[in-house]
Amino acid sequence: MTAFNTVRFRVKPGRDQDFLDAHKNIGTTWPGLVHANIIKTGDHAYCIIAEWRDIDACVKARPDMISTLNSFRETLEDLGNGLGVTDPVAGPVVLSLK
């Protein structure tokens, strides 16, 4: 069953392009990734939404996702409320709509 993960980020002013560039090769480095999009949710605020062939592929790719995160971690601001620089969630699809 297909799964998705999403991660929320806030990028330091002037570092938006560095943040986006760090994601350009994830399709080749994250096995099991079907599709991913980065959306801009506000000023220096982004969210990545990734589709995986199944939840196991998503879980197995976590070390690769962390490695990618470490490559641009210095571009991120702390989200506050004890979250650190990311706010990730993941899970299997339980209802597929159009």
Side-chain angles (χ1 to χ4, degrees):
M1 180 177 298
T2 303
F4 283 83
N5 80 303
T6 183
V7 183
R8 190 167 56 97
F9 307 93
R10 187 172 36 243
V11 179
K12 293 176 182 175
R15 301 299 305 270
D16 296 73
Q17 195 58 53
D18 297 326
F19 167 77
L20 295 171
D21 288 346
H23 290 88
K24 290 194 175 180
N25 294 318
I26 64 172
T28 59
T29 58
W30 294 2
L33 178 66
V34 175
H35 189 79
N37 287 292
I38 296 177
I39 60 173
K40 187 167 183 159
T41 60
D43 232 14
H44 308 292
Y46 296 89
C47 185
I48 187 169
I49 302 169
E51 179 180 359
W52 300 89
R53 72 173 177 261
D54 55 37
I55 194 65
D56 290 335
C58 180
V59 170
K60 287 178 185 172
R62 284 182 181 155
D64 297 314
M65 289 187 272
I66 292 168
S67 177
T68 300
L69 170 63
N70 288 338
S71 77
F72 67 88
R73 187 180 292 273
E74 76 282 350
T75 71
L76 302 176
E77 292 185 346
D78 192 290
L79 294 170
N81 296 322
L83 290 173
V85 296
T86 65
D87 184 14
V89 293
V93 172
V94 296
L95 177 64
S96 181
L97 306 170
K98 183 178 179 183

